[in-house]
Amino acid sequence: MEYEFFEDSDMEDESEEGASHVKEEARSAGNESRASTITLSSDGELEEEMNGEESDDDAFDAALIYEKEASEHEHLKQDVKIAAKAWPELERELCFPSVQIEAPVSGNEGTCSVVLTLNVSTLPDLCRRLWELGTAVTVSVILDGIHKEKFRSCEQRPVVLARIDSDKPSKFPVGECLSNVVKPLVTHTYSLPENISPNEAGSFFLMLYEQLVERLRTLTEFCMVCGSKLYAGGLLPSICAGELCQYQYQELGLLDGLTTPRVSAPVLSLLLMAFNAAVSSPRWKDILTPAPSARDRDRLLKEAKQLYKKVDKKWGFVESGLDVHSVLACAMPCAKEILNSPSTYQNFKKATPSVAEFLEWLVISNQSYLELVPQKYNVDYLKTPHQFVFVADTPQKQAEFDELVKSNGRKTRYLFHGSRMENWHSIIRSGLRNMSGTKYQLVGAAHGAGIYLSNHLATSYHYCTRFDVGNVSENCVNNKCCMSSVTEGGMTLLAVVEVVDTPQTYRYNKDNIVVVLEEKWCSIRMLVTYSGKNVPNIDLNNMNSESRKQIKDVAHMYKTADLEERAKHF
């Protein structure tokens, strides 16, 4: 499989062309569907138009009624019409209303559905791919089972569903995120003792639509199950640390386990190592963010003992205040073995369901995009075969960073960041944060508050501690498969960070230490590992243009290849 790289401008042009093509197809389909529509006349009667010209008002009424006498309640029709007219962009761009009445999904007589549709064709290409939207043009939230005669005075509240384009309702990450915005609003504000005109009380569906538009803009900043604000937003939809959310996510079955393209064996190994370093630290209660919850602690311990027995390892866990998950890493089967095929993972999950739930949480709770770089695309200047492309910024933060780059002459530089091994569990999930003056700061800030970076690998290496054989699966150590450098004097993990190159961004110290003053000025592009036996002499200030281009190409790799194609590499 070949990867194809693009400059930023090429990517933007391609994305715009693709979006235009998608819109044109949708617009054509919408126009064809208008050949015969049922619309609402000025006196409230239903009438059929055959290819006639429509007034501005009629444009919003088109397709609001799915059949004659679909809705008996005037307030329902009026509420839908107000919402559709307030958000006309979908009508203009794709030729169908943002809010409309449809036949009931459940098929219950005397009910209908109200569908609130959002345009996702204009989302950045990377979001469409990584949020599992594919080539979708729209995403809809459906309120199903609305009583046609009683409307909001009916005791029975509507059921909230989601769909992609005009497909049947289904469960998918973005749909769950949006549905969980609507569900509490339906629970607490839908029912009324008697119906009130939306002109007086305000449009219920307009309120819902405004909430959905805002949530789509900040999708990855909130738990996709309960909607609570996450510790740190990222690139991928995720869940919070709540036990109920973790349980419900497992029950939702949004992902088919760990055999999806979101994870490979080296990535799973790295996530396990980082977690084990954090959970084994004396500071684990402060730095293990987010933290897992065991639904059945006794069952998890029983399964862990089985794993220990299988590798002939002495059981050594004692109730010493450590998280129960701290016993898992060293006895876990090799990640490559677990993910060898869908059947091997399913067999593992069947034998140790609680351990499998923990692994799924480990992947699901990681909002960053993390992927091993194919060796043929490694950045030669970094002198290590273990290189990962890394994206943690939310689309909003990335847009802010891009604007800062643009407004400062498009000049950036690359620097290393080193940290203690127990900190990487949190860094991988939330990116770089200024922890100066907080309880998370372990060493002093000799050069002032900020994020510490360096152009010299040796300088950043000084801030690191090493992952050793105790942080990784014993099976993996013996086979030397996923993280072979662990057995070669320990493994050190560092980040390659892109920084806006302007004097107001950072302070440069004579000891080759760069202190970035605010998080907005920097963004991690890669993670790299080195063995303790061989730490090369690297100064990123001496990189030539070809090496800089290699890093840029790797950083953009997640944009340029289809997820399913990339999965074949592993």
Side-chain angles (χ1 to χ4, degrees), residues 134-174:
T135 59
V137 177
T138 62
V139 168
S140 300
V141 173
I142 306 168
L143 276 69
D144 185 49
I146 294 176
H147 199 282
K148 292 191 295 184
E149 294 183 0
K150 296 183 179 180
F151 186 28
R152 295 176 68 181
S153 64
C154 180
E155 293 182 2
Q156 186 70 34
R157 299 188 187 97
V159 176
V160 181
L161 307 168
R163 74 183 183 201
I164 294 177
D165 288 333
S166 57
D167 295 343
K168 292 181 179 179
S170 61
K171 292 188 180 295
F172 56 100
V174 172

Side-chain angles (χ1 to χ4, degrees), residues 278-347:
V279 77
S280 302
S281 168
R283 303 161 54 226
W284 74 274
K285 290 185 178 180
D286 290 332
I287 62 176
L288 192 63
T289 305
S293 299
R295 279 200 282 166
D296 188 333
R297 192 174 185 277
D298 292 337
R299 189 178 70 175
L300 180 62
L301 284 172
K302 182 179 179 181
E303 292 174 13
K305 288 180 181 179
Q306 293 175 8
L307 295 177
Y308 271 69
K309 185 176 181 180
K310 192 172 182 180
V311 297
D312 196 24
K313 192 174 181 66
K314 184 179 179 181
W315 177 254
F317 179 74
V318 293
E319 299 289 347
S320 58
L322 289 177
D323 186 281
V324 63
H325 298 89
S326 63
V327 302
L328 295 177
C330 59
M332 191 78 69
C334 173
K336 193 171 184 178
E337 176 185 329
I338 296 173
L339 302 179
N340 184 51
S341 69
S343 60
T344 56
Y345 177 71
Q346 291 305 319
N347 290 337

